[in-house]
Amino acid sequence: MRKGSLIVVSGPSGAGKGTICSAFLEREKNIAYSVSATTRAPRAGEVDGKNYYFVTREQFESMKEHDELLEWAEVYGNYYGTPIKKIQEKIAAGQDILLEIDTQGAMNVKRRFPNGVFVFILPPSLDELQRRIRGRGTEDEKTIEKRLGASVGEIKMASDYHYVIINDEVETAVEKLMAIVTAEHCCASRNQELIDEIAGE
Ligand code: 5GP
């Protein structure tokens, strides 16, 4: 049986990766979402266990100490990390899993899982990024400044990903992500067992 693939999506705050990932998962029902742990406070409407596992700094430290995280990073002043157990189980069961994580975390995952699919979501421009992050009204001014200040450095990291998608239109961006995942499923190197089977070996 083919092992599941890790699909890792990153992008600066406001690029729209959350919207793209939600729409993608809505259509690709057999791809699981990796729910991260974070010390950030929940935003209005966010649900514990669905959007994130909202934990205290102490709980997060304990997860780190007990090797329960595939990767973790401090992003915009809060801790974020990917719980490893479900990922191992799902990949072994042949299920693909989507991680929406920051660039530091993504590069750590790439070292451990170089066969993952690494996708970076770009805004059409820095002005548009600023307009979007201010427009969504979920963060205070200090947090917005922090996120915008980090964006250029994050965008430069896009060169280390396998694919980039410019999010100028959500529908098109989602279709591109679906196309990338379909192409990866057809990759010869991911299908050696199938090739051998059809060749009767
Ligand atoms: P937000 O607070 O807007 O939900 O997320 C802030 C940043 O943290 C985003 O870039 C998001 O992709 C990233 N992030 C979310 N979960 C994780 C995680 O488990 N690990 C890492 N390294 N970054 C994460």
Side-chain angles (χ1 to χ4, degrees):
M1 186 182 59
R2 182 177 75 84
K3 270 194 187 172
S5 305
L6 282 188
I7 303 152
V8 179
V9 175
S10 303
S13 196
K17 57 190 184 302
T19 310
I20 293 170
C21 289
S22 304
F24 169 78
L25 291 166
E26 211 25 62
R27 290 184 216 176
E28 298 280 357
K29 295 280 187 204
N30 50 355
I31 298 185
Y33 179 66
S34 160
V35 180
S36 297
T38 183
T39 60
R40 155 166 94 58
R43 294 185 188 129
E46 284 185 330
V47 178
D48 186 41
K50 182 170 176 265
N51 303 94
Y52 283 105
Y53 296 110
F54 295 102
V55 298
T56 61
R57 284 214 161 219
E58 292 70 33
Q59 287 169 319
F60 197 93
E61 293 292 348
S62 157
M63 292 171 92
K64 266 164 56 182
E65 270 164 39
H66 293 94
D67 286 332
E68 291 171 22
L69 300 174
L70 165 63
E71 61 73 37
W72 66 272
E74 191 171 349
V75 193
Y76 316 132
N78 289 298
Y79 285 137
Y80 294 82
T82 305
I84 195 163
K85 197 163 173 272
K86 285 205 180 127
I87 291 193
Q88 285 170 333
E89 288 168 3
K90 291 196 164 129
I91 284 191
Q95 185 162 30
D96 291 340
I97 184 153
L98 178 90
L99 280 67
E100 191 213 304
I101 61 175
D102 92 307
T103 51
Q104 311 162 70
M107 292 304 108
N108 285 333
V109 174
K110 201 175 172 204
R111 277 185 278 277
R112 274 177 85 168
F113 291 89
N115 293 335
V117 188
F118 293 80
V119 183
F120 196 94
I121 309 291
L122 286 165
S125 68
L126 283 179
D127 283 351
E128 176 61 14
L129 186 74
Q130 179 158 166
R131 201 184 60 75
R132 286 185 193 168
I133 192 167
R134 290 194 189 282
R136 73 184 181 190
T138 47
E139 282 93 6
D140 58 30
E141 186 55 30
K142 207 172 135 214
T143 309
I144 291 175
E145 292 295 332
K146 210 185 275 183
R147 288 179 177 233
L148 285 173
S151 61
V152 172
E154 288 171 329
I155 288 170
K156 287 184 179 162
M157 293 292 297
S159 329
D160 290 329
Y161 285 65
H162 297 134
Y163 298 96
V164 293
I165 296 175
I166 298 177
N167 180 22
D168 42 15
E169 213 256 320
V170 173
E171 179 59 28
T172 316
V174 174
E175 279 169 13
K176 285 183 180 168
L177 185 55
M178 291 169 77
I180 288 167
V181 172
T182 303
E184 287 291 333
H185 283 162
C186 298
C187 209
S189 62
R190 290 184 197 277
N191 287 285
Q192 192 55 50
E193 280 180 31
L194 189 71
I195 297 170
D196 292 344
E197 195 185 308
I198 293 172
E201 288 184 6

